[in-house]
Amino acid sequence: MPRTARLDARRTASHRAKRQVLALLDFVGAGFGQLVSGPDHVAGRGLGLITEEWQYCWTPLVEARLVEMVHLGATLEAVAVARLTEAEARLSGARAGSGAVPGAGSGAGAVSGAGAVPNTGSASVDALARLVAQALVIGMGSHLPRIVSLLRVTLDTDRDVDSVVSGARRLLGLWEARVELGAEEYAGELLDLVSQALATAAYLVSDLGKVRAEDEDAAIGTLIGLRSLLRDAAAADGALADGTLADGTLAGGGLADAGLADGTLADGTLAGGGLADTAVAGNVAAGADWATVGAVNRLAVARELGRLRDDGSTAPAVAGALLALGFTDGEVADDVLVTRVRGALAAGADPGAAVRFLGGVMRAAPDLILHTPEMFDAVDEALRALEGDAFLAVLPDLRRAFTWLRPTETHRLAKRVAERTGARVDQVDVRVALSEEDLATGLALDRELVAVLERDGLAHWVAATDMESAVGATPAGGEA
């Protein structure tokens, strides 16, 4: 029967050691246990959780798998090193043999398992950051230098801004969990990699403005991730500028790394003496240096985002998202927001581009339409001005744009629309269970019906249809 282990690796050293053993067995592919819930630093899930739950069970199959690994090493650590080396070689394009080593772990933390490092011939920043996470989770930090070296080179060559942002967020998450992972001695290295990633992101961020229409959603997701990275990096900067962190860790490393975990230094000198002062000053100086570099690179990213926001050739949805994020962060004034929104949705603008712009705004900050009356008015005027065919053509994208509202926000918007159009709230705030295919079919039938009525001289029936009520019902459809 499988057993369950509930661990608090963040606050209990013995639990940290148990988690490391379980993760090591999972990584090598022994099949002994698997992570059921809790923080998964390799996959980047559940990082806000404190406790984790593992299920484990010793079976003859586990013993057989361990025997199969003997050719890789005499100990679990040796097998893990072989696995890490193989993954590193695969990512760097130096393939040995054919593909992955047989029997690689398939658990939540395994490099060759679900959510694993992709089997590609070239490295990516995110894949290598995942490998760094894997090494730290299984307690193989001594294997990091070669991976970090490859990661630094890849940061200069990876042209995928999403990979760079995702990798940097993963690395910063590892820094935040350094005590939990027992990785205090690598804290400075992790922060330095984040700083380099920010510099790379500043160079690549302009590519997000050149994406095709079908790639705009992914680009906006990257922008939102980059904004989160900037905020978290700024928080780290603030902690480092003070020289200490919330958990008592000295900037630049951990208490143990500074030799102050028990109030003494490595040579027995009491903390607070001359040597201790030197050690503390060195760690604080290292933290201040990174904070300075990190701030410079964060400002570089913010500057490039501002340029992209003001560039008229930026993809519509990306431009809308940048405008909304800038307003939310206090970088765009109220009057600028309203002017830009009115300009994008003005009469004569391409309806498709206008709705994509609105979709970007709604994706990045959906509550703006509720809290900014001028924006609500601009959207209302733009939708009312659309011709019937144009409205029906953009209706699927328009419907999708409003799905970013939460149910309570949808209800509030429905009340505003009902007040504006004179309809009853219960006519607008209706959950419509339609798929995209259903909507497309309905629009096609509507066009056919209009054509038949016009052919039979009943076009006035079509004119009697109140388009304004259709416009008012659009947000309610977004709840479906």
Side-chain angles (χ1 to χ4, degrees):
M1 287 290 294
R3 297 186 178 184
T4 300
R6 294 180 176 83
L7 308 176
D8 183 358
R10 184 171 300 182
R11 296 178 292 191
T12 308
S14 60
H15 287 192
R16 200 175 304 150
K18 291 178 182 178
R19 189 275 307 280
Q20 197 172 95
V21 172
L22 289 168
L24 181 59
L25 285 164
D26 185 36
F27 172 63
V28 300
F32 175 69
Q34 63 178 353
L35 179 64
V36 177
S37 64
D40 186 341
H41 296 282
V42 179
R45 294 191 296 263
L47 301 184
L49 301 176
I50 295 177
T51 60
E52 55 192 88
E53 183 175 307
W54 287 79
Q55 285 188 349
Y56 63 95
C57 182
W58 181 268
T59 66
L61 182 59
V62 174
E63 185 173 358
R65 286 178 175 174
L66 291 174
V67 171
E68 289 177 356
M69 299 176 196
V70 171
H71 70 287
L72 295 176
T75 64
L76 282 176
E77 288 76 11
V79 175
V81 169
R83 298 289 194 213
L84 288 171
T85 302
E86 186 272 335
E88 179 189 341
R90 184 171 67 248
L91 286 171
S92 63
R95 296 172 182 268
S98 56
V101 176
S106 58
V111 169
S112 299
V117 173
N119 187 12
T120 60
S122 60
S124 72
V125 171
D126 190 36
L128 284 166
R130 187 187 292 260
L131 196 57
V132 169
Q134 183 70 80
L136 291 176
V137 166
I138 63 177
M140 302 297 294
S142 58
H143 193 73
L144 283 183
R146 289 174 56 186
I147 304 175
V148 168
S149 177
L150 179 58
L151 178 53
R152 289 190 181 282
V153 173
T154 305
L155 278 167
D156 292 332
T157 59
D158 193 346
R159 295 287 306 176
D160 185 353
V161 64
D162 182 64
S163 170
V164 173
V165 171
S166 298
R169 294 183 68 189
R170 194 183 303 277
L171 292 168
L172 191 56
L174 294 174
W175 177 80
E176 292 170 346
R178 63 199 174 284
V179 175
E180 174 186 346
L181 296 173
E184 293 96 329
E185 63 183 295
Y186 309 109
E189 191 80 54
L190 292 170
L191 288 178
D192 195 47
L193 288 168
V194 173
S195 180
Q196 185 180 349
L198 285 170
T200 301
Y203 178 74
L204 297 175
V205 74
S206 61
D207 292 344
L208 295 175
K210 306 171 186 175
V211 296
R212 297 171 298 181
E214 57 267 28
D215 297 325
E216 286 179 332
D217 278 347
I220 295 173
T222 300
L223 283 174
I224 294 173
L226 181 55
R227 179 198 187 213
S228 176
L229 172 63
L230 291 174
R231 284 187 167 186
D232 293 343
D237 281 358
L240 289 170
D242 294 336
T244 58
L245 302 172
D247 58 3
T249 305
L250 287 173
L255 290 175
D257 188 38
L260 293 172
D262 58 358
T264 62
L265 296 173
D267 62 356
T269 305
L270 286 175
L275 186 55
D277 290 343
T278 303
V280 173
N283 278 278
V284 172
D289 287 345
W290 186 88
T292 301
V293 175
V296 169
N297 290 335
R298 282 190 295 108
L299 289 174
V301 174
R303 182 175 62 249
E304 293 305 316
L305 288 174
R307 289 177 179 173
L308 190 61
R309 182 175 62 237
D310 297 334
D311 187 347
S313 63
T314 299
V318 175
L322 285 168
L323 183 67
L325 292 175
F327 177 78
T328 302
D329 292 338
E331 298 171 1
V332 174
D334 293 28
D335 58 334
V336 174
L337 171 71
V338 174
T339 300
R340 290 281 301 275
V341 170
R342 288 187 183 278
L345 304 179
D350 175 55
V355 171
R356 285 161 57 194
F357 176 89
L358 178 61
V361 173
M362 296 295 294
R363 167 80 185 275
D367 59 335
L368 279 185
I369 197 169
L370 295 172
H371 302 306
T372 311
E374 296 84 359
M375 181 175 168
F376 178 87
D377 292 340
V379 173
D380 179 54
E381 292 168 7
L383 295 182
R384 289 172 181 271
L386 285 176
E387 296 291 336
D389 289 341
F391 174 78
L392 294 177
V394 300
L395 183 56
D397 289 334
L398 190 61
R399 179 173 178 263
R400 190 181 303 112
F402 283 95
T403 60
W404 295 106
L405 290 167
R406 294 189 293 268
T408 54
E409 293 172 334
T410 301
H411 177 69
R412 291 172 57 193
L413 182 61
K415 290 178 64 176
R416 294 278 300 275
V417 172
E419 293 171 358
R420 181 64 59 89
T421 60
R424 297 198 313 271
V425 176
D426 60 351
Q427 292 178 319
V428 179
D429 190 13
V430 178
R431 183 176 180 85
V432 182
L434 291 178
S435 66
E436 291 293 334
E437 292 75 16
D438 293 334
L439 183 60
T441 301
L443 292 176
L445 288 174
D446 184 78
R447 293 190 186 94
E448 291 180 12
L449 178 59
V450 169
V452 170
L453 291 173
E454 290 179 345
R455 183 196 63 194
D456 294 342
L458 300 173
H460 58 284
W461 286 14
V462 179
T465 301
D466 187 3
M467 181 59 69
E468 292 184 3
S469 64
V471 173
T474 301
E479 188 183 353

